[in-house]
Coordinates of all heavy atoms in Angstrom, one line a residue:
M1 N 72.5 50.9 117.8 CA 72.0 50.2 119.0 C 72.5 51.1 120.2 O 73.5 51.6 120.2 CB 72.6 48.8 119.2 CG 72.3 48.2 120.5 SD 72.9 46.5 120.7 CE 74.6 46.7 120.7
A2 N 71.6 51.2 121.2 CA 72.0 51.9 122.4 C 72.2 50.9 123.6 O 71.5 49.9 123.7 CB 70.8 52.8 122.8
I3 N 73.3 51.1 124.3 CA 73.6 50.3 125.5 C 73.4 51.3 126.7 O 74.0 52.3 126.7 CB 75.0 49.8 125.5 CG1 75.2 48.8 124.3 CG2 75.3 49.1 126.8 CD1 76.7 48.4 124.1
C4 N 72.5 51.0 127.5 CA 72.1 51.9 128.6 C 73.1 51.7 129.8 O 73.3 50.6 130.3 CB 70.7 51.6 129.1 SG 70.1 52.8 130.3
A5 N 73.7 52.8 130.2 CA 74.6 52.8 131.4 C 73.8 53.0 132.7 O 74.1 52.4 133.7 CB 75.6 53.9 131.3
K6 N 72.7 53.8 132.7 CA 71.9 54.0 133.9 C 70.6 54.6 133.5 O 70.4 55.2 132.4 CB 72.6 54.9 134.9 CG 72.7 56.3 134.5 CD 73.4 57.2 135.5 CE 72.7 57.7 136.7 NZ 71.4 58.3 136.7
D7 N 69.6 54.3 134.4 CA 68.3 55.0 134.2 C 68.0 55.7 135.5 O 68.8 56.0 136.3 CB 67.3 53.9 133.8 CG 67.0 52.9 134.9 OD1 67.4 53.1 136.1 OD2 66.3 51.9 134.6
S8 N 66.7 56.0 135.7 CA 66.3 56.8 136.8 C 66.6 56.2 138.1 O 66.7 56.8 139.2 CB 64.8 57.2 136.7 OG 64.0 56.0 136.8
G9 N 66.7 54.9 138.1 CA 67.0 54.1 139.4 C 68.5 54.0 139.7 O 68.8 53.5 140.8
G10 N 69.3 54.4 138.8 CA 70.8 54.2 139.1 C 71.5 53.5 138.0 O 70.9 53.1 137.0
P11 N 72.8 53.2 138.2 CA 73.5 52.6 137.1 C 73.2 51.1 137.0 O 72.9 50.4 138.0 CB 75.0 52.8 137.6 CG 74.9 53.0 139.1 CD 73.6 53.6 139.3
Y12 N 73.4 50.6 135.8 CA 73.3 49.1 135.6 C 74.7 48.5 135.9 O 75.7 49.2 136.1 CB 72.9 48.9 134.1 CG 71.5 49.2 133.8 CD1 71.2 50.3 133.0 CD2 70.4 48.5 134.4 CE1 69.9 50.6 132.7 CE2 69.1 48.8 134.1 CZ 68.9 49.9 133.2 OH 67.6 50.2 132.9
D13 N 74.8 47.2 135.9 CA 76.0 46.5 136.2 C 77.1 46.9 135.2 O 77.0 46.8 134.0 CB 75.8 45.0 136.1 CG 77.0 44.2 136.5 OD1 77.2 44.1 137.8 OD2 77.7 43.8 135.6
L14 N 78.2 47.5 135.8 CA 79.3 48.0 134.9 C 80.0 46.9 134.2 O 80.3 47.0 133.0 CB 80.3 48.7 135.8 CG 81.5 49.3 135.1 CD1 81.1 50.3 134.0 CD2 82.5 49.9 136.1
G15 N 80.2 45.7 134.8 CA 80.9 44.6 134.1 C 80.1 44.1 132.9 O 80.6 43.8 131.8
L16 N 78.8 44.0 133.1 CA 77.9 43.5 132.1 C 77.8 44.6 131.0 O 77.9 44.2 129.8 CB 76.5 43.3 132.6 CG 75.4 42.7 131.7 CD1 75.9 41.5 131.0 CD2 74.1 42.5 132.4
R17 N 77.8 45.9 131.3 CA 77.8 46.9 130.3 C 79.0 46.9 129.5 O 79.0 46.9 128.2 CB 77.6 48.3 130.9 CG 77.4 49.4 129.8 CD 77.5 50.7 130.4 NE 78.9 51.1 130.2 CZ 79.5 52.0 131.0 NH1 78.9 52.5 132.0 NH2 80.8 52.3 130.7
R18 N 80.2 46.7 130.1 CA 81.4 46.6 129.4 C 81.5 45.4 128.5 O 82.0 45.4 127.4 CB 82.6 46.7 130.3 CG 82.8 48.0 130.9 CD 84.0 48.1 131.8 NE 84.3 49.5 132.2 CZ 84.9 49.8 133.3 NH1 85.5 48.8 134.0 NH2 85.1 51.0 133.6
R19 N 80.9 44.3 128.9 CA 80.9 43.1 128.1 C 80.0 43.3 126.8 O 80.3 42.9 125.7 CB 80.3 41.9 128.9 CG 80.3 40.6 128.1 CD 80.1 39.4 129.0 NE 80.1 38.2 128.2 CZ 79.4 37.1 128.4 NH1 78.7 37.1 129.5 NH2 79.5 36.1 127.6
L20 N 78.9 44.0 127.0 CA 78.0 44.3 125.9 C 78.7 45.2 124.9 O 78.6 45.0 123.7 CB 76.7 45.0 126.4 CG 75.7 44.1 127.1 CD1 74.6 44.9 127.8 CD2 75.1 43.0 126.2
E21 N 79.5 46.2 125.4 CA 80.3 47.1 124.6 C 81.3 46.3 123.8 O 81.5 46.6 122.6 CB 80.9 48.2 125.4 CG 80.0 49.2 126.0 CD 80.7 50.2 126.8 OE1 81.5 51.0 126.3 OE2 80.5 50.2 128.1
R22 N 82.0 45.4 124.4 CA 83.0 44.6 123.8 C 82.4 43.7 122.7 O 83.0 43.6 121.6 CB 83.8 43.7 124.8 CG 84.9 44.4 125.5 CD 85.9 43.4 126.2 NE 85.2 42.5 127.0 CZ 84.8 42.7 128.3 NH1 85.0 43.8 128.9 NH2 84.1 41.7 129.0
L23 N 81.3 43.1 123.0 CA 80.6 42.2 122.0 C 80.2 43.0 120.8 O 80.4 42.6 119.7 CB 79.4 41.6 122.6 CG 79.7 40.4 123.6 CD1 78.4 40.0 124.3 CD2 80.2 39.2 122.8
A24 N 79.7 44.2 121.0 CA 79.3 45.1 119.9 C 80.5 45.5 119.1 O 80.5 45.4 117.8 CB 78.5 46.3 120.4
A25 N 81.5 45.9 119.7 CA 82.7 46.3 119.0 C 83.4 45.1 118.3 O 83.8 45.3 117.1 CB 83.8 46.9 120.0
D26 N 83.5 44.0 118.9 CA 84.1 42.8 118.3 C 83.3 42.3 117.0 O 83.9 41.7 116.1 CB 84.2 41.6 119.3 CG 85.2 41.9 120.4 OD1 86.0 42.8 120.3 OD2 85.2 41.1 121.3
H27 N 82.0 42.6 117.0 CA 81.2 42.1 115.9 C 80.7 43.3 115.0 O 79.8 43.2 114.2 CB 79.9 41.4 116.4 CG 80.3 40.1 117.1 ND1 80.5 39.0 116.4 CD2 80.5 39.8 118.4 CE1 80.9 38.0 117.3 NE2 80.9 38.5 118.5
F28 N 81.4 44.4 115.1 CA 81.2 45.6 114.3 C 79.8 46.1 114.3 O 79.2 46.5 113.3 CB 81.7 45.4 112.9 CG 83.1 44.9 112.8 CD1 83.4 43.5 112.6 CD2 84.2 45.8 113.0 CE1 84.7 43.1 112.6 CE2 85.5 45.3 113.0 CZ 85.8 44.0 112.8
I29 N 79.2 46.0 115.5 CA 77.8 46.5 115.6 C 77.8 47.9 116.1 O 78.4 48.2 117.1 CB 77.0 45.6 116.6 CG1 77.0 44.2 116.2 CG2 75.6 46.2 116.9 CD1 76.5 43.2 117.2
P30 N 77.3 48.8 115.3 CA 77.3 50.3 115.7 C 76.5 50.4 117.0 O 75.4 49.9 117.1 CB 76.6 51.0 114.5 CG 76.0 50.0 113.7 CD 76.6 48.6 114.0
H31 N 77.1 51.2 117.9 CA 76.4 51.3 119.2 C 76.9 52.6 119.9 O 77.9 53.2 119.5 CB 76.7 50.1 120.1 CG 78.2 50.0 120.5 ND1 79.1 49.5 119.6 CD2 78.9 50.3 121.6 CE1 80.3 49.5 120.1 NE2 80.2 50.0 121.4
K32 N 76.1 53.1 120.8 CA 76.4 54.2 121.7 C 76.0 53.9 123.1 O 75.0 53.2 123.3 CB 75.6 55.5 121.2 CG 75.9 56.0 119.9 CD 77.2 56.7 119.8 CE 77.4 57.2 118.4 NZ 78.7 57.8 118.2
V33 N 76.7 54.3 124.0 CA 76.4 54.2 125.5 C 75.6 55.4 125.8 O 75.9 56.6 125.5 CB 77.6 54.0 126.4 CG1 77.2 54.0 127.8 CG2 78.4 52.8 126.0
D34 N 74.4 55.2 126.5 CA 73.6 56.3 126.8 C 73.0 56.2 128.2 O 73.1 55.1 128.8 CB 72.4 56.4 125.8 CG 71.8 57.7 125.6 OD1 72.1 58.7 126.4 OD2 70.9 57.9 124.7
T35 N 72.4 57.2 128.7 CA 71.7 57.2 130.0 C 70.2 57.6 129.7 O 70.0 58.4 128.8 CB 72.3 58.1 131.0 OG1 72.2 59.5 130.6 CG2 73.7 57.8 131.3
Y36 N 69.3 57.1 130.6 CA 67.9 57.4 130.4 C 67.4 57.9 131.8 O 66.8 57.1 132.5 CB 67.1 56.2 130.0 CG 67.6 55.6 128.7 CD1 68.2 54.4 128.6 CD2 67.5 56.4 127.5 CE1 68.7 53.9 127.4 CE2 67.9 55.9 126.3 CZ 68.5 54.6 126.2 OH 69.0 54.1 125.0
P37 N 67.6 59.2 132.1 CA 67.3 59.7 133.4 C 65.8 59.7 133.7 O 65.4 59.7 134.9 CB 67.9 61.1 133.4 CG 68.0 61.5 132.0 CD 68.2 60.2 131.2
N38 N 65.0 59.6 132.7 CA 63.5 59.7 132.9 C 62.9 58.3 132.6 O 61.7 58.3 132.4 CB 62.9 60.8 132.1 CG 63.4 62.1 132.4 OD1 63.5 62.5 133.5 ND2 63.8 62.9 131.4
Y39 N 63.6 57.3 132.6 CA 63.1 55.9 132.2 C 63.4 55.0 133.4 O 64.5 55.1 134.0 CB 63.8 55.5 130.9 CG 63.5 54.1 130.5 CD1 62.3 53.9 129.7 CD2 64.3 53.1 130.8 CE1 62.0 52.6 129.3 CE2 64.0 51.8 130.3 CZ 62.9 51.6 129.6 OH 62.6 50.3 129.2
G40 N 62.6 54.0 133.6 CA 62.8 52.9 134.5 C 62.5 51.6 133.8 O 61.5 51.5 133.1
S41 N 63.4 50.6 133.9 CA 63.3 49.4 133.2 C 62.7 48.3 134.1 O 62.7 48.5 135.4 CB 64.6 48.9 132.6 OG 65.4 48.5 133.7
D42 N 62.3 47.2 133.6 CA 61.9 46.0 134.4 C 63.1 45.5 135.3 O 62.8 45.1 136.4 CB 61.4 44.9 133.5 CG 60.1 45.2 132.8 OD1 59.4 46.2 133.2 OD2 59.8 44.5 131.8
G43 N 64.3 45.6 134.7 CA 65.4 45.2 135.5 C 65.6 46.0 136.7 O 65.9 45.6 137.8
E44 N 65.5 47.3 136.5 CA 65.6 48.3 137.6 C 64.6 48.0 138.7 O 64.8 48.1 139.9 CB 65.6 49.7 137.1 CG 65.8 50.8 138.2 CD 64.5 51.3 138.8 OE1 63.5 51.3 138.0 OE2 64.5 51.6 139.9
A45 N 63.3 47.7 138.3 CA 62.3 47.4 139.2 C 62.6 46.1 140.0 O 62.3 46.1 141.2 CB 60.9 47.3 138.4
A46 N 63.1 45.1 139.3 CA 63.5 43.9 140.0 C 64.6 44.2 141.1 O 64.5 43.6 142.2 CB 64.0 42.9 139.0
L47 N 65.6 45.0 140.7 CA 66.6 45.3 141.7 C 66.0 46.0 142.9 O 66.3 45.7 144.1 CB 67.7 46.2 141.1 CG 68.6 45.5 140.1 CD1 69.5 46.6 139.4 CD2 69.4 44.4 140.7
R48 N 65.1 47.0 142.7 CA 64.4 47.7 143.7 C 63.6 46.8 144.6 O 63.4 47.0 145.8 CB 63.5 48.8 143.1 CG 63.3 50.0 144.0 CD 62.6 51.2 143.3 NE 62.4 51.1 141.9 CZ 61.2 51.0 141.3 NH1 60.1 51.1 142.0 NH2 61.1 50.9 140.0
A49 N 63.0 45.7 144.0 CA 62.3 44.7 144.8 C 63.1 43.8 145.5 O 62.6 42.9 146.2 CB 61.3 44.0 143.8
G50 N 64.5 43.9 145.4 CA 65.3 43.0 146.1 C 65.9 41.8 145.4 O 66.6 41.0 146.0
A51 N 65.7 41.7 144.1 CA 66.3 40.6 143.3 C 67.8 40.7 143.3 O 68.4 41.8 143.3 CB 65.8 40.7 141.9
D52 N 68.5 39.6 143.4 CA 69.9 39.5 143.3 C 70.4 39.1 141.9 O 70.5 37.9 141.6 CB 70.4 38.5 144.4 CG 71.9 38.4 144.4 OD1 72.6 39.4 144.0 OD2 72.4 37.4 144.9
L53 N 70.5 40.1 141.1 CA 70.9 39.9 139.7 C 71.7 41.0 139.1 O 71.7 42.1 139.7 CB 69.6 39.6 138.9 CG 68.4 40.5 139.0 CD1 68.6 41.7 138.1 CD2 67.2 39.8 138.7
K54 N 72.3 40.7 138.0 CA 73.0 41.8 137.2 C 72.0 42.3 136.1 O 71.4 41.5 135.5 CB 74.3 41.2 136.6 CG 75.3 40.8 137.6 CD 76.5 40.3 136.9 CE 77.6 39.9 137.9 NZ 78.8 39.5 137.3
V55 N 72.0 43.6 136.0 CA 71.1 44.1 135.0 C 71.9 44.9 133.9 O 72.8 45.6 134.2 CB 70.1 45.1 135.7 CG1 69.2 45.8 134.6 CG2 69.2 44.4 136.7
G56 N 71.5 44.6 132.7 CA 72.0 45.3 131.5 C 70.8 45.7 130.6 O 69.7 45.0 130.7
L57 N 70.9 46.6 129.8 CA 69.8 47.1 128.9 C 70.4 47.5 127.6 O 71.3 48.3 127.5 CB 69.1 48.2 129.6 CG 67.9 48.8 128.8 CD1 66.8 47.8 128.6 CD2 67.4 50.1 129.4
I58 N 69.8 46.9 126.5 CA 70.1 47.4 125.1 C 68.8 47.7 124.4 O 67.8 47.2 124.8 CB 71.0 46.4 124.3 CG1 70.2 45.1 124.1 CG2 72.3 46.1 125.0 CD1 70.8 44.1 123.1
G59 N 68.9 48.4 123.4 CA 67.7 48.6 122.5 C 68.0 49.5 121.4 O 69.1 50.0 121.3
P60 N 67.1 49.6 120.5 CA 67.3 50.5 119.3 C 67.3 52.0 119.8 O 66.6 52.3 120.8 CB 66.2 50.2 118.4 CG 65.1 49.7 119.3 CD 65.8 49.0 120.4
G61 N 68.1 52.8 119.2 CA 68.0 54.2 119.6 C 66.6 54.8 119.1 O 66.2 54.5 118.0
V62 N 65.9 55.4 120.0 CA 64.6 56.0 119.7 C 64.5 57.5 120.1 O 65.3 57.9 120.9 CB 63.5 55.2 120.4 CG1 63.4 53.8 119.9 CG2 63.5 55.3 121.9
D63 N 63.7 58.1 119.4 CA 63.3 59.5 119.7 C 62.0 59.5 120.3 O 61.0 59.1 119.7 CB 63.4 60.4 118.5 CG 63.0 61.8 118.8 OD1 63.3 62.3 119.9 OD2 62.4 62.5 118.0
A64 N 61.9 59.8 121.6 CA 60.6 59.8 122.4 C 60.3 58.4 122.9 O 61.0 57.5 122.5 CB 59.4 60.4 121.6
S65 N 59.3 58.3 123.7 CA 59.0 57.0 124.2 C 57.5 57.0 124.7 O 57.1 58.0 125.2 CB 59.9 56.6 125.4 OG 59.6 55.4 125.9
H66 N 56.8 55.9 124.6 CA 55.5 55.8 125.0 C 54.5 56.8 124.4 O 53.5 57.2 125.0 CB 55.4 55.9 126.6 CG 56.1 54.9 127.3 ND1 57.5 55.0 127.6 CD2 55.8 53.6 127.7 CE1 57.9 54.0 128.2 NE2 56.9 53.1 128.3
A67 N 54.8 57.1 123.2 CA 53.9 58.0 122.4 C 54.2 57.7 120.9 O 54.0 56.6 120.5 CB 54.1 59.4 122.8
Y68 N 54.7 58.8 120.3 CA 55.0 58.6 118.9 C 56.5 58.4 118.8 O 57.3 59.4 119.0 CB 54.6 59.9 118.1 CG 54.9 59.8 116.6 CD1 54.0 59.1 115.8 CD2 56.0 60.3 116.0 CE1 54.2 59.0 114.5 CE2 56.2 60.2 114.7 CZ 55.3 59.5 113.9 OH 55.5 59.4 112.6
E69 N 57.0 57.2 118.7 CA 58.4 56.9 118.7 C 58.9 56.8 117.3 O 58.3 56.4 116.4 CB 58.6 55.5 119.4 CG 58.1 55.6 120.9 CD 58.3 54.2 121.6 OE1 59.1 53.4 121.1 OE2 57.7 54.0 122.6
R70 N 60.2 57.2 117.2 CA 60.9 57.2 115.9 C 62.2 56.5 116.1 O 62.9 56.7 117.1 CB 61.1 58.6 115.3 CG 59.8 59.3 115.0 CD 60.1 60.6 114.5 NE 60.6 61.4 115.6 CZ 60.9 62.7 115.5 NH1 60.8 63.3 114.3 NH2 61.3 63.4 116.5
T71 N 62.5 55.6 115.2 CA 63.8 54.9 115.2 C 64.2 54.7 113.7 O 63.6 55.1 112.8 CB 63.8 53.6 116.0 OG1 65.1 53.1 116.1 CG2 63.0 52.5 115.3
H72 N 65.4 54.1 113.5 CA 65.9 53.8 112.2 C 66.0 52.3 112.0 O 66.4 51.6 113.0 CB 67.2 54.5 112.0 CG 67.6 54.5 110.6 ND1 68.3 53.5 110.0 CD2 67.5 55.5 109.6 CE1 68.5 53.8 108.7 NE2 68.1 55.0 108.5
R73 N 65.7 51.8 110.8 CA 65.8 50.4 110.5 C 67.2 49.8 110.9 O 67.3 48.7 111.5 CB 65.5 50.2 109.0 CG 65.5 48.8 108.6 CD 65.1 48.7 107.2 NE 63.9 49.5 106.9 CZ 63.6 50.0 105.7 NH1 64.3 49.7 104.7 NH2 62.6 50.8 105.6
D74 N 68.3 50.5 110.6 CA 69.6 50.1 111.0 C 69.8 49.8 112.5 O 70.5 48.9 112.9 CB 70.7 51.0 110.5 CG 70.8 51.1 109.0 OD1 70.2 50.2 108.3 OD2 71.4 52.1 108.5
S75 N 69.1 50.7 113.3 CA 69.2 50.5 114.7 C 68.5 49.2 115.2 O 69.0 48.5 116.1 CB 68.6 51.7 115.4 OG 68.8 51.6 116.8
I76 N 67.4 48.9 114.6 CA 66.7 47.7 114.9 C 67.5 46.5 114.5 O 67.6 45.5 115.2 CB 65.3 47.7 114.2 CG1 64.4 48.8 114.9 CG2 64.6 46.3 114.4 CD1 63.1 49.0 114.2
V77 N 68.1 46.5 113.3 CA 69.0 45.4 112.8 C 70.2 45.2 113.8 O 70.5 44.1 114.1 CB 69.4 45.7 111.4 CG1 70.5 44.7 111.0 CG2 68.2 45.6 110.4
A78 N 70.8 46.3 114.3 CA 71.9 46.2 115.2 C 71.6 45.5 116.5 O 72.3 44.8 117.0 CB 72.5 47.6 115.5
V79 N 70.3 45.7 116.9 CA 69.9 45.1 118.2 C 69.7 43.6 117.9 O 70.1 42.8 118.7 CB 68.6 45.7 118.7 CG1 68.0 44.9 119.9 CG2 68.8 47.1 119.2

């Protein structure tokens, strides 16, 4: 599982990210913290629009996006 620290719009909420990391570690869920400099999420768009919320992002580790994506079954199970 990937826990996103930041995307093209900037960093996600640090406290929420650390909580996600603790939850994954406490439940023995394999995970990596990553950045997505060429990606924008719905959460990032909501922040840009002025929403007052904390944003976090998790997902399966993938190779490529919006085309021919590859992932591993274990990564999907971890999410």
Side-chain angles (χ1 to χ4, degrees):
M1 172 177 70
I3 299 172
C4 183
K6 72 181 276 316
D7 66 13
S8 62
Y12 290 111
D13 183 78
L14 180 59
L16 183 54
R17 189 193 91 209
R18 287 184 174 158
R19 184 170 181 207
L20 291 168
E21 290 177 69
R22 275 193 312 275
L23 283 168
D26 290 350
H27 294 278
F28 307 101
I29 298 170
H31 63 283
K32 298 284 184 189
V33 176
D34 204 352
T35 62
Y36 302 114
N38 299 314
Y39 176 83
S41 71
D42 293 342
E44 184 266 327
L47 290 173
R48 207 170 353 115
D52 182 22
L53 47 84
K54 294 180 179 183
V55 174
L57 177 67
I58 65 169
V62 297
D63 177 33
S65 179
H66 298 89
Y68 186 80
E69 299 179 17
R70 293 178 291 181
T71 191
H72 193 276
R73 186 176 312 158
D74 291 345
S75 187
I76 294 171
V77 170
V79 170

